[in-house]
Amino acid sequence: MAKKVLVKGVEAIALGALEGGCECYFGYPITPQNEIPEIMAVELPKRGGVFLQAESETSAINMVLGASAVGARVMTSSSSPGISLMSEGFSYLIALELPCVVVNVMRGGPGLGGIEASQGDYFQAVKAPGHGDGRFLVLAPYSCSEAYELTARAFELADKYRNPVMILSDAILGQMKEPLALKPLNIKNYPKEDWALTGAKGRPSRVIKSLFLDSRELAERNLKLKRKYKEMEREIRYEALYTGGEKVIAVAFGSMARICKEAVLNLRKKGYEVGFFRPITLFPFPKKVLSKMADLNSEGVKFVVFELNCGQMIEDVMLSLCGKAEALSRFYPPSVLPFPEDIEKELKKCLKPSGSQKA
Amino acid sequence: MRLEVILSGFGGQGILFAGNLLALCGMHQGYQVSFLPVYGPEMRGGTCHCTVIISDKEIASPLVLEPSYLIIFNLPSFIKFMPRLKKGGLALVNSDLVKKEEIENFEELISGKRVIFLPLNTLSEEVGAPQSLNMCALGAFNGLLEIFPERIFKKALKEMLGEAKAHLFEPNLRAYKRGFEEVKKLG
Amino acid sequence: MPEAFRFPKSLKKTLFHYCPGCHHSIIHRLLCEVIDELGIREKTVGIASIGCSCFLYFYIDVDIVEAPHGRSCSAGTGIKRARPDLVVFTYQGDGDFAAIGLGDSLHAASRGENITAIMINNTVYGMTGGQVSPTTLPHQKTTTTPYGRDPKREGYPLKVAEILAGFEGVAFCARTAVNTPKRVIQAKKLLKRAFETQLEGLGFSYIEFLSACPVNWKMDPLSATRYVDKLAETFPIKVFKDRLSEGKT
């Protein structure tokens, strides 16, 4: 049986990274994710890996770029303001088709914000991690076990698509402790010999670049990336509590999904027709699944999106539904953390027919 | 079986250590557990609290509005969390730092709830472990509920202390036992 | 008969796109000769920075990755740490190395990263169109100092080699130029020294080339090449540090 430990979410991420075969870690300290570099600083040298604390997030992400270009399994981790600083590097990594894993343990913003849990970086993560048209494959764990598994899997997915993969977590998931079974995950390796820079021995020299002054070449590169994002749809993951008869479905990810799930389970026990939907891949977003859920209930179903921000994922839910079903936004800015009871109240309100609802 | 506990007190009273240890004991006993710390930016002296859930089913939300149990180490925590204790819930309160007569609306705060006062500082000092009032509280809490046997507590404590703090095992265990015995006297 | 000329193996057989009188092409060639002579072509990874030299990979026939503006020394750190057997060099301008990338450059040097940094100092942003840079001379006119660099307003030229020479992590530090045949020969020796320092694993090696930018200096190629001597008054041509030689004596 796998060894069971009681660990924080951020510790689970670090352990997942080691299980995923991470060889190099580069980062810069920022609360609330410092346990990740601290664990990597202890563990990587023991395994012949590389740990280096950079002088800034901008340096850290470019160290990641260098290590990835020569074929190493590499990661960085940070929290919201630090992620912003890395965004230029993100854009290059995407354009250069360099795999890496980036962890964002979100905190409250904008600006210096606070260190409370927040999901304020949803847009940044799924829409525009950097300038230009690039995307990350974004995974949102909601427990320590999932943080461990998804982080390990992120290395495989990054190599598979030659694209950065982001683990989007938050201060609650990061600081909460839960039991974690350290099971081996059998993470796949994808060969890198055909693209990594290893020295031009027995082959022509290689260039990894993103500058395309010929406009047709640049368009082609963009279209190639676009096709890749389409292929990533094979990786879509989600969790749903839905039989087709529910009238209201709570939609949430990460820590918010934990709180919502509690509320939904309580209401279902009491006989309320309430469902639950949790996207695990935030990009690509499980659009088709949501659309089908709307189709299943011919009498109309409402999707209520709960977020620890001022309303971001609601836009993806609305795009998924294409007007087929109503989508409502229930948002909680940082430091206004709702309890399951608050969510229950909101869901009950939404169960009433639209006409009887007061603004 | 499901119990939710909020432990609250000053930073430096070992609140997070105790909460963490309680969750670890629950895990070793085979339960699902969650431990959620909430603390201020200060390392020492500020107020801090944490939520521990122990359950035989999946734990969804780690946040609890109305816990079934409180372990209260100081006065500000009593004032802050008593209103949130579930009706019929139980609060274990450190009588060395929480005095009934200093609380204006005491009767109102405890109405419909069970409160057990224990002099945690005094008891832990008695066994020569003044730093271990948190363990004394855990002993008392487990004495009341008997969630796990002492064997599990020892295993978890050893794990938490690690080699670097192994010398603290004995005083912590003494405080734990003292708390455990004290509530048994209450009958 | 002794061989007088050979086309370097590491130099791609193509025409340089650089402006007439630009020194990049001379330095590229020296770099290729050094790589050939040390026999390291098959284990070298270069880093192309932002600026005119971002097209390094059109000319130099080794594995090359492009880094964002100013980040070459960080990318180089990542490469060398992940694969210490590779020989790593950056090729950066004064804007890239000493303005936007100064933090990356100084920290990599201070850590003693075992890489070679080549800095082309022509006192302006060449590709961007001749704006003021940290190394612009006092009173020098640029497109963003149209009245001349006034030290009271735009500060003084930043002397990078002088700073780096004082770092423990720096094993080789030199400033050179390629505006006379004699200096070309000397520069090649120093460039080779920088790579040898890396091959010996001694730490960060830095070589700065004072270089002409006739177009942005608004000069003809010959005047610009001569003007490099004027640069040398502010930026002395000198070997500041050479641990490899120190070790051998």
Side-chain angles (χ1 to χ4, degrees), chain A residues 254-315:
Chain A
S255 60
M256 194 61 182
R258 294 288 289 257
I259 302 167
C260 282
K261 195 175 178 183
E262 178 93 34
V264 169
L265 291 174
N266 286 341
L267 286 175
R268 282 168 86 97
K269 237 182 270 167
K270 295 175 203 162
Y272 290 95
E273 292 170 305
V274 180
F276 172 72
F277 184 76
R278 173 173 74 96
I280 299 172
T281 46
L282 298 181
F283 184 87
F285 194 76
K287 281 185 187 158
K288 284 179 192 156
V289 185
L290 275 171
S291 173
K292 270 186 201 149
M293 283 169 78
D295 291 339
L296 260 178
N297 191 333
S298 55
E299 286 171 30
V301 53
K302 270 185 226 167
F303 292 80
V304 191
V305 184
F306 293 89
E307 300 175 78
L308 294 176
N309 54 41
C310 286
Q312 299 187 23
M313 189 170 71
I314 176 71
E315 295 191 9

Coordinates of all heavy atoms in Angstrom, one line a residue, chain A residues 254-315:
Chain A
G254 N -11.4 24.6 -8.1 CA -10.5 24.8 -7.0 C -11.2 24.8 -5.7 O -12.1 24.0 -5.4
S255 N -10.7 25.6 -4.8 CA -11.2 25.6 -3.4 C -12.7 25.9 -3.3 O -13.4 25.4 -2.5 CB -10.4 26.6 -2.5 OG -10.5 27.9 -3.1
M256 N -13.1 26.8 -4.3 CA -14.5 27.2 -4.3 C -15.4 25.9 -4.6 O -16.5 25.8 -4.1 CB -14.7 28.2 -5.4 CG -16.1 28.9 -5.2 SD -16.2 29.8 -3.7 CE -17.8 30.4 -3.8
A257 N -14.8 25.0 -5.4 CA -15.6 23.8 -5.7 C -15.8 22.9 -4.5 O -16.8 22.3 -4.3 CB -14.9 23.0 -6.8
R258 N -14.8 23.0 -3.5 CA -14.9 22.2 -2.3 C -16.1 22.7 -1.5 O -16.9 22.0 -1.0 CB -13.7 22.4 -1.4 CG -12.4 21.8 -2.0 CD -12.5 20.3 -2.0 NE -12.4 19.7 -0.7 CZ -11.3 19.2 -0.2 NH1 -10.2 19.1 -0.9 NH2 -11.2 18.7 1.1
I259 N -16.2 24.1 -1.4 CA -17.3 24.7 -0.6 C -18.6 24.4 -1.3 O -19.6 24.1 -0.6 CB -17.0 26.2 -0.4 CG1 -15.6 26.4 0.2 CG2 -18.1 26.9 0.4 CD1 -15.1 27.8 0.2
C260 N -18.7 24.6 -2.6 CA -19.9 24.3 -3.3 C -20.4 22.9 -3.2 O -21.5 22.6 -3.1 CB -19.7 24.7 -4.8 SG -19.8 26.4 -5.1
K261 N -19.4 22.0 -3.3 CA -19.8 20.6 -3.3 C -20.4 20.2 -2.0 O -21.4 19.5 -2.0 CB -18.5 19.7 -3.5 CG -18.9 18.3 -3.9 CD -17.6 17.5 -4.2 CE -17.9 16.0 -4.6 NZ -16.6 15.3 -4.8
E262 N -19.9 20.7 -0.9 CA -20.5 20.5 0.4 C -22.0 21.0 0.4 O -22.9 20.3 0.8 CB -19.7 21.3 1.4 CG -20.2 21.2 2.9 CD -19.6 20.0 3.6 OE1 -18.4 19.8 3.4 OE2 -20.3 19.4 4.4
A263 N -22.2 22.2 -0.1 CA -23.5 22.8 -0.2 C -24.4 21.9 -1.0 O -25.6 21.6 -0.7 CB -23.4 24.2 -0.7
V264 N -23.9 21.5 -2.2 CA -24.8 20.7 -3.1 C -25.1 19.3 -2.5 O -26.3 18.9 -2.5 CB -24.0 20.5 -4.5 CG1 -24.8 19.5 -5.3 CG2 -24.0 21.8 -5.2
L265 N -24.1 18.7 -1.9 CA -24.4 17.4 -1.2 C -25.4 17.5 -0.1 O -26.3 16.7 0.0 CB -23.1 16.8 -0.7 CG -22.1 16.3 -1.7 CD1 -20.7 15.9 -1.1 CD2 -22.6 15.2 -2.6
N266 N -25.3 18.6 0.6 CA -26.3 18.8 1.7 C -27.7 19.0 1.2 O -28.6 18.4 1.6 CB -25.9 20.1 2.5 CG -24.7 19.8 3.4 OD1 -24.4 18.6 3.7 ND2 -24.0 20.8 3.9
L267 N -27.8 19.8 0.1 CA -29.1 20.1 -0.5 C -29.7 18.8 -1.1 O -30.9 18.6 -1.0 CB -29.0 21.2 -1.6 CG -28.8 22.6 -1.0 CD1 -28.6 23.6 -2.1 CD2 -30.0 23.0 -0.2
R268 N -28.8 18.1 -1.8 CA -29.3 16.8 -2.5 C -29.9 15.9 -1.4 O -30.9 15.2 -1.6 CB -28.2 16.1 -3.2 CG -28.0 16.8 -4.6 CD -26.7 16.3 -5.2 NE -26.8 15.1 -6.0 CZ -27.0 15.1 -7.3 NH1 -27.0 16.2 -8.0 NH2 -27.1 13.9 -8.0
K269 N -29.2 15.8 -0.2 CA -29.7 15.0 0.9 C -31.1 15.4 1.3 O -31.9 14.6 1.7 CB -28.7 15.1 2.0 CG -28.1 13.8 2.5 CD -27.2 14.0 3.7 CE -25.7 14.2 3.3 NZ -24.9 14.7 4.4
K270 N -31.3 16.7 1.2 CA -32.6 17.2 1.7 C -33.6 17.2 0.5 O -34.7 17.7 0.7 CB -32.4 18.7 2.1 CG -31.6 18.8 3.4 CD -31.4 20.3 3.7 CE -30.2 20.5 4.6 NZ -29.8 22.0 4.6
G271 N -33.2 16.6 -0.6 CA -34.2 16.4 -1.7 C -34.3 17.5 -2.7 O -35.1 17.5 -3.6
Y272 N -33.4 18.5 -2.6 CA -33.4 19.6 -3.6 C -32.7 19.1 -5.0 O -31.8 18.3 -4.9 CB -32.6 20.8 -3.1 CG -33.3 21.5 -2.0 CD1 -33.0 21.2 -0.7 CD2 -34.2 22.5 -2.3 CE1 -33.6 21.9 0.4 CE2 -34.8 23.2 -1.3 CZ -34.5 22.9 0.1 OH -35.1 23.6 1.1
E273 N -33.3 19.5 -6.1 CA -32.8 19.1 -7.4 C -31.6 20.0 -7.8 O -31.8 20.9 -8.7 CB -33.9 19.1 -8.4 CG -34.9 18.0 -8.1 CD -36.2 18.2 -9.0 OE1 -36.8 19.3 -9.0 OE2 -36.5 17.2 -9.7
V274 N -30.5 19.8 -7.2 CA -29.3 20.6 -7.4 C -28.2 19.7 -7.9 O -27.9 18.7 -7.3 CB -28.9 21.3 -6.1 CG1 -27.7 22.2 -6.3 CG2 -30.1 22.2 -5.6
G275 N -27.5 20.2 -8.9 CA -26.3 19.5 -9.5 C -25.0 20.2 -9.2 O -25.0 21.3 -8.7
F276 N -23.9 19.6 -9.6 CA -22.6 20.2 -9.4 C -21.7 19.9 -10.6 O -21.8 18.8 -11.2 CB -22.0 19.5 -8.1 CG -20.6 19.8 -7.8 CD1 -20.2 21.1 -7.4 CD2 -19.6 18.9 -8.0 CE1 -18.9 21.4 -7.1 CE2 -18.3 19.2 -7.7 CZ -17.9 20.4 -7.2
F277 N -21.0 20.9 -11.0 CA -20.0 20.7 -12.1 C -18.7 21.4 -11.8 O -18.7 22.6 -11.4 CB -20.6 21.3 -13.4 CG -19.7 21.0 -14.6 CD1 -19.7 19.8 -15.2 CD2 -18.9 22.1 -15.1 CE1 -18.8 19.5 -16.2 CE2 -18.0 21.8 -16.2 CZ -18.0 20.5 -16.7
R278 N -17.6 20.7 -11.9 CA -16.3 21.2 -11.6 C -15.4 21.0 -12.8 O -15.0 19.8 -13.0 CB -15.8 20.5 -10.4 CG -14.3 20.9 -10.0 CD -13.9 20.4 -8.7 NE -13.7 18.9 -8.7 CZ -12.5 18.3 -8.9 NH1 -11.4 19.1 -9.0 NH2 -12.4 17.0 -8.8
P279 N -15.0 22.0 -13.5 CA -14.0 21.8 -14.6 C -12.6 21.6 -13.9 O -12.3 22.3 -12.9 CB -14.0 23.1 -15.3 CG -14.6 24.1 -14.5 CD -15.4 23.4 -13.4
I280 N -11.9 20.6 -14.3 CA -10.5 20.4 -13.8 C -9.5 20.9 -14.8 O -8.5 21.6 -14.4 CB -10.3 18.9 -13.6 CG1 -11.3 18.3 -12.5 CG2 -8.9 18.6 -13.1 CD1 -11.3 16.8 -12.3
T281 N -9.8 20.8 -16.1 CA -9.0 21.5 -17.1 C -9.8 22.8 -17.3 O -10.9 22.8 -17.7 CB -8.9 20.8 -18.4 OG1 -10.2 20.3 -18.8 CG2 -8.0 19.6 -18.4
L282 N -9.1 23.9 -17.0 CA -9.7 25.2 -17.2 C -9.4 25.7 -18.6 O -10.2 26.5 -19.2 CB -9.2 26.3 -16.2 CG -9.5 25.9 -14.7 CD1 -9.0 27.0 -13.8 CD2 -11.0 25.7 -14.5
F283 N -8.3 25.3 -19.2 CA -8.1 25.4 -20.6 C -7.4 24.2 -21.1 O -6.4 23.8 -20.6 CB -7.2 26.6 -21.0 CG -7.1 26.8 -22.5 CD1 -8.0 27.5 -23.2 CD2 -6.1 26.1 -23.2 CE1 -8.0 27.6 -24.6 CE2 -6.0 26.2 -24.6 CZ -6.9 26.9 -25.3
P284 N -7.9 23.5 -22.1 CA -9.2 23.7 -22.7 C -10.4 23.6 -21.7 O -10.4 22.7 -20.9 CB -9.3 22.7 -23.8 CG -7.9 22.1 -24.0 CD -7.2 22.3 -22.7
F285 N -11.4 24.4 -21.9 CA -12.5 24.4 -21.0 C -13.5 23.4 -21.5 O -13.7 23.3 -22.7 CB -13.2 25.8 -21.0 CG -14.2 26.0 -19.9 CD1 -13.7 26.3 -18.6 CD2 -15.5 26.0 -20.2 CE1 -14.6 26.5 -17.6 CE2 -16.4 26.2 -19.1 CZ -16.0 26.5 -17.9
P286 N -14.2 22.6 -20.6 CA -15.1 21.6 -21.0 C -16.4 22.1 -21.6 O -17.5 21.9 -21.0 CB -15.3 20.7 -19.8 CG -14.8 21.5 -18.6 CD -13.9 22.6 -19.1
K287 N -16.3 22.8 -22.7 CA -17.5 23.5 -23.2 C -18.6 22.6 -23.7 O -19.7 22.8 -23.4 CB -17.1 24.3 -24.5 CG -16.4 25.6 -24.1 CD -16.1 26.4 -25.4 CE -15.3 27.7 -25.1 NZ -14.6 28.2 -26.2
K288 N -18.1 21.5 -24.4 CA -19.1 20.6 -25.0 C -19.9 19.9 -23.9 O -21.1 19.6 -24.0 CB -18.5 19.6 -25.9 CG -18.1 20.2 -27.2 CD -17.4 19.2 -28.1 CE -16.7 19.9 -29.3 NZ -15.6 19.1 -29.9
V289 N -19.2 19.6 -22.8 CA -19.9 18.9 -21.7 C -21.0 19.7 -21.1 O -22.1 19.3 -20.9 CB -18.8 18.5 -20.6 CG1 -19.5 17.7 -19.5 CG2 -17.6 17.8 -21.2
L290 N -20.7 21.0 -20.9 CA -21.7 21.9 -20.3 C -22.9 22.1 -21.3 O -24.0 22.1 -20.9 CB -21.0 23.3 -20.1 CG -20.3 23.4 -18.7 CD1 -19.6 24.8 -18.7 CD2 -21.3 23.4 -17.6
S291 N -22.5 22.1 -22.6 CA -23.5 22.3 -23.6 C -24.5 21.1 -23.6 O -25.7 21.2 -23.6 CB -22.9 22.5 -24.9 OG -23.8 22.5 -25.9
K292 N -23.9 19.9 -23.5 CA -24.7 18.7 -23.4 C -25.6 18.6 -22.1 O -26.7 18.2 -22.2 CB -23.8 17.4 -23.5 CG -23.6 17.0 -24.9 CD -22.8 15.7 -24.9 CE -22.1 15.5 -26.2 NZ -20.9 14.7 -26.1
M293 N -25.0 19.1 -21.1 CA -25.8 19.1 -19.8 C -27.0 20.0 -20.0 O -28.1 19.7 -19.5 CB -24.9 19.7 -18.7 CG -23.9 18.6 -18.1 SD -22.7 19.4 -17.0 CE -23.7 19.5 -15.5
A294 N -26.9 21.1 -20.7 CA -28.0 22.0 -20.9 C -29.0 21.3 -21.8 O -30.3 21.4 -21.6 CB -27.5 23.3 -21.6
D295 N -28.5 20.5 -22.8 CA -29.4 19.8 -23.7 C -30.3 18.7 -23.0 O -31.4 18.5 -23.3 CB -28.6 19.1 -24.8 CG -28.0 20.1 -25.8 OD1 -28.5 21.2 -25.8 OD2 -27.0 19.8 -26.5
L296 N -29.6 18.1 -22.0 CA -30.3 17.0 -21.3 C -31.6 17.3 -20.6 O -32.5 16.5 -20.5 CB -29.3 16.4 -20.3 CG -28.5 15.1 -20.7 CD1 -27.6 14.7 -19.5 CD2 -29.5 14.0 -21.0
N297 N -31.6 18.5 -20.1 CA -32.8 19.0 -19.4 C -33.7 19.9 -20.2 O -33.4 21.1 -20.4 CB -32.4 19.7 -18.1 CG -33.6 19.9 -17.1 OD1 -34.7 20.0 -17.6 ND2 -33.3 19.9 -15.9
S298 N -34.7 19.3 -20.8 CA -35.5 20.1 -21.7 C -36.3 21.1 -21.1 O -36.8 22.1 -21.7 CB -36.4 19.1 -22.5 OG -37.2 18.3 -21.6
E299 N -36.5 21.0 -19.7 CA -37.4 22.0 -19.0 C -36.6 23.2 -18.6 O -37.1 24.1 -18.0 CB -38.0 21.3 -17.8 CG -39.1 20.3 -18.2 CD -39.6 19.5 -17.0 OE1 -39.5 20.0 -15.9 OE2 -40.0 18.4 -17.2
G300 N -35.3 23.2 -18.9 CA -34.5 24.4 -18.6 C -33.7 24.2 -17.3 O -34.3 23.7 -16.3
V301 N -32.5 24.5 -17.3 CA -31.6 24.3 -16.2 C -30.8 25.6 -16.0 O -30.4 26.2 -17.0 CB -30.8 23.1 -16.3 CG1 -30.0 23.0 -17.6 CG2 -29.8 22.9 -15.1
K302 N -30.6 26.0 -14.8 CA -29.7 27.2 -14.5 C -28.4 26.8 -14.1 O -28.2 25.9 -13.2 CB -30.4 28.0 -13.4 CG -31.4 29.0 -13.9 CD -31.8 29.8 -12.7 CE -33.3 30.0 -12.7 NZ -33.9 30.5 -11.4
F303 N -27.4 27.4 -14.6 CA -26.0 27.2 -14.2 C -25.6 28.4 -13.3 O -25.6 29.5 -13.8 CB -25.0 27.1 -15.3 CG -25.3 25.8 -16.1 CD1 -26.3 25.7 -17.1 CD2 -24.5 24.7 -15.9 CE1 -26.5 24.5 -17.8 CE2 -24.7 23.5 -16.6 CZ -25.7 23.4 -17.6
V304 N -25.2 28.1 -12.1 CA -24.8 29.2 -11.2 C -23.3 29.1 -10.9 O -22.8 28.1 -10.4 CB -25.5 29.2 -9.8 CG1 -25.3 30.5 -9.1 CG2 -27.0 29.0 -10.1
V305 N -22.5 30.1 -11.4 CA -21.1 30.0 -11.3 C -20.6 30.7 -10.1 O -20.8 31.9 -9.9 CB -20.4 30.6 -12.6 CG1 -18.9 30.4 -12.6 CG2 -21.0 29.9 -13.8
F306 N -19.9 30.0 -9.2 CA -19.4 30.5 -7.9 C -17.9 30.7 -8.1 O -17.2 29.7 -8.4 CB -19.7 29.6 -6.8 CG -21.1 29.5 -6.4 CD1 -22.0 28.6 -7.0 CD2 -21.7 30.4 -5.5 CE1 -23.3 28.5 -6.7 CE2 -23.1 30.3 -5.2 CZ -23.9 29.4 -5.8
E307 N -17.4 31.9 -7.8 CA -15.9 32.1 -8.0 C -15.4 33.0 -6.9 O -16.1 33.9 -6.4 CB -15.7 32.9 -9.3 CG -16.1 32.1 -10.5 CD -15.9 32.9 -11.8 OE1 -14.7 33.0 -12.2 OE2 -16.8 33.5 -12.3
L308 N -14.1 32.9 -6.5 CA -13.5 33.8 -5.6 C -12.8 34.9 -6.3 O -11.6 35.1 -6.3 CB -12.4 33.0 -4.7 CG -13.0 31.9 -3.8 CD1 -11.9 31.2 -3.1 CD2 -13.9 32.5 -2.7
N309 N -13.6 35.6 -7.1 CA -13.2 36.8 -7.8 C -14.4 37.6 -8.2 O -15.5 37.3 -7.7 CB -12.4 36.4 -9.1 CG -13.2 35.4 -9.9 OD1 -14.4 35.6 -10.1 ND2 -12.5 34.4 -10.4
C310 N -14.3 38.6 -9.1 CA -15.5 39.4 -9.4 C -16.2 38.9 -10.6 O -16.9 39.6 -11.3 CB -15.1 40.8 -9.5 SG -14.8 41.5 -7.8
G311 N -16.0 37.6 -11.0 CA -16.8 37.0 -12.1 C -15.9 36.9 -13.3 O -15.8 37.8 -14.1
Q312 N -15.3 35.7 -13.5 CA -14.4 35.5 -14.6 C -14.9 34.2 -15.4 O -15.2 34.3 -16.6 CB -13.0 35.4 -14.2 CG -12.5 36.7 -13.6 CD -11.0 36.8 -13.3 OE1 -10.2 36.1 -13.9 NE2 -10.6 37.6 -12.4
M313 N -14.9 33.1 -14.7 CA -15.2 31.8 -15.3 C -16.6 31.9 -15.9 O -17.0 31.2 -16.8 CB -15.0 30.6 -14.4 CG -15.2 29.3 -15.1 SD -14.7 27.9 -14.0 CE -16.0 27.9 -12.8
I314 N -17.5 32.7 -15.3 CA -18.9 32.9 -15.8 C -18.9 33.1 -17.3 O -19.7 32.6 -18.0 CB -19.6 34.0 -15.1 CG1 -21.0 34.3 -15.6 CG2 -18.8 35.3 -15.1 CD1 -22.0 33.2 -15.3
E315 N -17.9 33.8 -17.8 CA -17.8 34.1 -19.3 C -17.6 32.8 -20.1 O -18.2 32.7 -21.1 CB -16.7 35.1 -19.6 CG -17.0 36.5 -18.9 CD -16.1 37.6 -19.4 OE1 -15.4 37.4 -20.4 OE2 -16.2 38.7 -18.8

